[in-house]
Amino acid sequence: MINTKIYRAIYNLAEDLLEADSKNDQARFDKLYAELKAICDDNENSDKDHPEQWETLADFTADLDQALVIYDKALTKATAINSKDHMSSIAFSMAELQLELGQTEAAIKSLKQAKITANKIEDKEFKQEIDTLLTKLLTH
């Protein structure tokens, strides 16, 4: 389970990053991104390390290849604690980026992984979203 203080900090940073992005305030976005990255780096390999902080960092990483690297780190951490919710959401996010980068086979693999781990979660809409995208890719 993620430390409550860290969760709040990550959540607040994510909201602020979204706001900075919506206002095209690159200087503020960069400052907030650096704060989020510092939280991830400071907590890495400690008892406060959690896939959610890495997933959030990847969500706001503009360089898509770098974002995939960070998502992969988050997925490894989610797998280590067997967090099905995180495993499926991270794999789905990876698939979306892989599609954006033209990596269809990798996206299919990520979606299949997301589908397997989502089997144990309660979010039926998210499961449907995974199924829909996977079906679309497999039929094209």
Side-chain angles (χ1 to χ4, degrees):
M1 183 146 185
I2 190 167
N3 175 299
T4 304
K5 182 179 173 189
I6 293 169
Y7 176 80
R8 278 198 206 112
I10 292 166
Y11 182 83
N12 290 335
L13 280 170
E15 284 190 328
D16 293 345
L17 281 159
L18 286 170
E19 181 183 323
D21 187 52
S22 74
K23 293 180 178 178
N24 294 318
D25 186 345
Q26 192 62 48
R28 183 164 183 251
F29 183 93
D30 292 345
K31 178 184 170 292
L32 294 165
Y33 182 87
E35 286 179 39
L36 178 58
K37 185 168 183 343
I39 290 171
C40 293
D41 291 342
D42 290 348
N43 293 332
E44 188 166 18
N45 299 321
S46 76
D47 61 343
K48 295 178 181 174
D49 200 0
H50 195 276
E52 188 151 338
Q53 64 193 14
W54 295 101
E55 182 178 9
T56 305
L57 182 65
D59 289 344
F60 290 101
T61 300
D63 179 317
L64 301 185
D65 290 317
Q66 183 60 32
L68 280 174
V69 170
I70 298 169
Y71 278 131
D72 193 52
K73 179 182 275 198
L75 187 58
T76 299
K77 293 175 184 299
T79 302
I81 62 171
N82 199 28
S83 173
K84 303 291 188 194
D85 285 307
H86 288 100
M87 291 163 68
S88 50
S89 72
I90 294 164
F92 185 80
S93 294
M94 288 178 76
E96 289 181 316
L97 279 189
Q98 289 160 335
L99 282 175
E100 214 172 308
L101 291 167
Q103 302 170 1
T104 307
E105 290 305 314
I108 290 170
K109 183 179 176 193
S110 292
L111 285 168
K112 285 180 177 177
Q113 185 177 2
K115 184 175 179 163
I116 290 167
T117 55
N119 186 39
K120 300 288 185 197
I121 68 171
E122 293 181 22
D123 189 340
K124 289 177 180 26
E125 286 178 24
F126 182 53
K127 288 181 188 184
Q128 184 58 50
E129 197 174 349
I130 294 167
D131 282 340
T132 301
L133 185 53
L134 183 56
T135 301
K136 177 182 170 189
L137 292 178
L138 291 174
T139 56
H140 280 98

